[in-house]
Amino acid sequence: MTDAPVRVGTRASKLALSQSAWAARHLGVEFELVHVSTHGDRDQTSPLTQIGGTGVFVSAVREALLSGEVDVVVHSLKDLPTAEPDGIRLAAVPPRESPSDALIARDGLTLETLPAGASVGTGSPRRAAQLRLQRPDLDVQPIRGNIDTRIANVSEGRLDAVVLAAAGLNRLGLTDRITDEFDPTVFLPAPAQGALAVEVREDDHRFDDALAALDCPVTRAAVVAERQLLNSLEAGCSAPVAAYAVVDGAQLRMQAGTYGSTAHMLEEAAGPMEDPRQLGRRMAETMLGRGARDLLSEGI
């Protein structure tokens, strides 16, 4: 361990700062947060699918790590591309926060009680598809911006509701704004939603003991299976793919879904917890055999 403060690279959003500070505190080291500007933060108008998906928030932070500008970086794991980056290792996956999606609606409304034609905002093609499946009468609209900006769409009357990850709302102390939290076994979340990723340079072992203590094997197994499915489907982290795995004894059980403009596909399977990648690959092969690639190519 070093006597100098650990430099933790982070985006400057409230959520990124909160997550990075939380992880650094649990490492038990003196730290400083180093703000890294990303293309995704600078371009707040283009849809994420047009500028590279949620991975646009990741590359600049990883570049700062590889250059030695920072020592540790913390991400929302669902935002990471599934390809393994050169020179970087996933050193810890802390215990998962809520994997669920959540509704923030005017007047305390729920997904069931929103009136026909109500406007609901989301930046996620997956969420948009699932909303239309459950409530085809809703007016689902694309939105961008940080959590405060998205909530303001409701509080200032531009939208009737927005859908966000419950984990981010919980981490920012905004749980009381949630009017409906969706069951993750019904409204399946994005792969690795609610989980954090702590990355270091591949050859940097100064913090290994602290990182090992922060790592949660149960969470890691679940999100590895979910992300392997995404990888094997050859889909990006903003693609309309959902996956949710839970540990049941020595078994890992996973539900997954893919969504197109005209149809969707659901799949369930189980496998040994010690080989989560095998479960993700096997489920993806089954879904590809059922036509998942054609479904995803339809778009939303």
Side-chain angles (χ1 to χ4, degrees):
M1 196 68 72
T2 177
D3 292 332
V6 176
R7 297 165 301 168
V8 181
T10 177
R11 295 167 55 204
S13 72
K14 284 184 180 179
L15 180 58
L17 291 168
S18 174
Q19 292 177 166
S20 297
W22 179 91
R25 286 195 299 271
H26 282 77
L27 286 176
V29 296
E30 184 180 352
F31 68 91
E32 61 176 323
L33 298 181
V34 178
H35 296 186
V36 180
S37 176
T38 75
H39 178 50
D41 292 313
R42 292 188 295 272
D43 184 350
Q44 286 291 312
T45 57
S46 303
L48 283 177
T49 51
Q50 290 184 11
I51 61 174
T54 51
V56 298
F57 296 116
V58 174
S59 57
V61 181
R62 282 179 163 172
E63 287 167 8
L65 178 63
L66 287 170
S67 70
E69 181 184 342
V70 299
D71 304 303
V72 175
V73 294
V74 181
H75 311 274
S76 292
L77 187 46
K78 72 180 179 65
D79 292 343
L80 293 186
T82 56
E84 298 291 338
D86 292 335
I88 293 175
R89 61 190 171 96
L90 178 58
V93 179
R96 193 177 203 168
E97 241 285 4
S98 170
S100 302
D101 287 306
L103 188 79
I104 294 180
R106 62 173 176 82
D107 305 322
L109 292 168
T110 66
L111 184 57
E112 183 178 357
T113 60
L114 281 168
S119 55
V120 182
T122 175
S124 160
R126 170 192 60 83
R127 288 175 182 145
Q130 291 171 304
L131 285 167
R132 291 184 179 116
L133 275 172
Q134 293 200 24
R135 288 289 308 271
D137 58 310
L138 295 177
D139 175 19
V140 180
Q141 300 185 13
I143 56 172
R144 285 288 312 278
N146 60 33
I147 287 178
D148 287 340
T149 300
R150 296 186 187 208
I151 293 176
N153 283 313
V154 178
S155 57
E156 296 173 9
R158 290 184 291 273
L159 293 170
D160 294 306
V162 293
V163 179
L164 301 166
L169 297 168
N170 293 342
R171 289 181 177 126
L172 288 176
L174 297 171
T175 306
D176 61 345
R177 300 298 301 272
I178 296 173
T179 59
D180 194 6
E181 186 164 344
F182 306 151
D183 182 344
T185 66
V186 177
F187 200 104
L188 296 175
Q193 184 162 301
L196 298 179
V198 184
E199 293 184 327
V200 297
R201 288 183 294 279
E202 199 166 44
D203 59 356
D204 187 352
H205 297 281
R206 291 173 294 165
F207 321 111
D208 280 3
D209 289 345
L211 288 164
L214 184 59
D215 191 67
C216 174
V218 168
T219 297
R220 184 183 280 261
V223 300
V224 165
E226 295 165 11
R227 284 171 52 79
Q228 182 60 56
L229 173 114
L230 189 66
N231 179 272
S232 296
L233 289 173
E234 298 180 356
C237 50
S238 62
V241 174
Y244 181 48
V246 295
V247 173
D248 181 8
Q251 289 283 295
L252 193 60
R253 302 187 182 279
M254 186 157 72
Q255 300 169 267
T258 55
Y259 304 86
S261 58
T262 61
H264 70 288
M265 177 190 304
L266 300 176
E267 186 68 31
E268 293 186 37
M273 177 183 166
E274 63 265 21
D275 193 2
R277 292 188 188 280
Q278 188 271 344
L279 176 60
R281 283 191 293 266
R282 177 160 52 87
M283 287 188 70
E285 288 170 4
T286 299
M287 297 177 83
L288 288 169
R290 294 176 56 197
R293 184 163 287 121
D294 290 340
L295 191 63
L296 290 171
S297 69
E298 290 182 0
I300 300 298

